[in-house]
Amino acid sequence: MSTSRLLPKRPLQLYARHASLQAKASSSSAQIQTPYALFPTAVTAAPHFDLSRTVNTSIAELYYRRVEPEYSRESFLQGAMEAASIASQYIVDKNWNGLSNICVTDLVDMIRERCEAESALIPRIAPGDVLCSYLYSALISGKQIYRLNPGNTNIYLTAMVFCRNHPDVPQDLSLKKYLAKYYKEITVCHITFARAINPPGIWKATQLNYFNLI
């Protein structure tokens, strides 16, 4: 049996049963005008060229397409955009069991501890408020590739997902226009999904953060 049959075409299709959460969210999120972040971050949200990251991303995607022929960057980003909305709703509702369907246990524990220390850290993101995304990085790690880890060979895909905080922010603009004109009304979701590919495993988020650009 080929590896491609072991996983859905999109990493997050297995979360389709949580579609009821999307209906629960309002069509727009409350506008937030103060700086906030689920976790402190030094990540730059805007796309920028980094030679090492670009090379690693190209190598990782080429390698992974040999293992998973149905993989495409577009399908991964669509899954990441769905996850940005669903995970925000789980976090706001403090539904840690639901969040564990998307994230690894250690990440769920970190988010729960953070939310217990402070309230209202992030907005609830409705599906219609997710605007656009791009692939920030891709990385293959493991003994067979870099001879660094004694365990499985893993792939890590990181996306930046941009969401609006107010319904007045139009849809279908370019990322450049969002960052130039509407950056004060944007929430960024920085999310990394990983899976073991030798032997094959399931997709889980290993990093998740939400922050605004004020």
Side-chain angles (χ1 to χ4, degrees):
M1 179 181 295
S2 65
T3 306
S4 62
R5 297 179 183 176
L6 298 177
L7 291 174
K9 293 182 180 179
R10 290 192 300 166
L12 298 178
Q13 282 185 342
L14 70 161
Y15 305 125
R17 62 184 180 275
H18 303 301
S20 60
L21 283 172
Q22 298 181 353
K24 183 178 179 181
S26 61
S27 60
S28 63
S29 303
Q31 188 174 15
I32 298 177
Q33 291 292 345
T34 56
Y36 65 90
L38 183 58
F39 298 105
T41 180
V43 173
T44 301
H48 62 284
F49 179 75
D50 179 278
L51 180 59
S52 176
R53 179 160 50 85
T54 300
V55 170
N56 284 331
T57 296
S58 298
I59 292 173
E61 287 194 297
L62 285 172
Y63 178 88
Y64 188 59
R65 285 192 182 97
R66 294 175 57 190
V67 178
E68 177 59 68
E70 295 184 355
Y71 164 80
S72 71
R73 182 177 295 190
E74 292 74 19
S75 64
F76 167 73
L77 290 175
Q78 181 61 39
M81 292 168 71
E82 293 174 8
S85 171
I86 295 172
S88 76
Q89 296 170 52
Y90 283 142
I91 293 170
V92 171
D93 294 338
K94 297 186 177 181
N95 182 350
W96 311 124
N97 287 333
L99 190 62
S100 67
N101 290 315
I102 299 175
C103 304
V104 296
T105 301
D106 288 349
L107 180 57
V108 174
D109 291 342
M110 289 174 59
I111 295 172
R112 181 173 60 240
E113 291 175 4
R114 183 85 168 106
C115 291
E116 288 175 351
E118 298 184 43
S119 60
L121 289 172
I122 66 170
R124 182 189 297 273
I125 298 170
D129 292 331
V130 180
L131 300 172
C132 60
S133 64
Y134 72 90
L135 183 66
Y136 180 80
S137 66
L139 177 67
I140 296 285
S141 70
K143 183 177 180 180
Q144 292 188 4
I145 305 300
Y146 297 117
R147 301 187 182 279
L148 295 176
N149 301 325
N152 296 337
T153 301
N154 305 307
I155 184 166
Y156 298 85
L157 298 173
T158 299
M160 289 290 188
V161 181
F162 296 81
C163 313
R164 63 182 181 180
N165 297 330
H166 195 277
D168 289 343
V169 178
Q171 296 178 322
D172 300 324
L173 297 181
S174 67
L175 177 56
K176 182 178 180 179
K177 289 184 178 180
Y178 283 127
L179 294 178
K181 188 174 181 179
Y182 297 102
Y183 71 94
K184 291 184 178 180
E185 298 170 340
I186 294 294
T187 292
V188 181
C189 174
H190 177 208
I191 186 167
T192 298
F193 275 95
R195 67 165 291 213
I197 56 180
N198 184 27
I202 63 172
W203 288 99
K204 285 278 189 174
T206 58
Q207 290 184 323
L208 178 64
N209 198 11
Y210 295 86
F211 56 92
N212 66 356
L213 301 176
I214 296 177

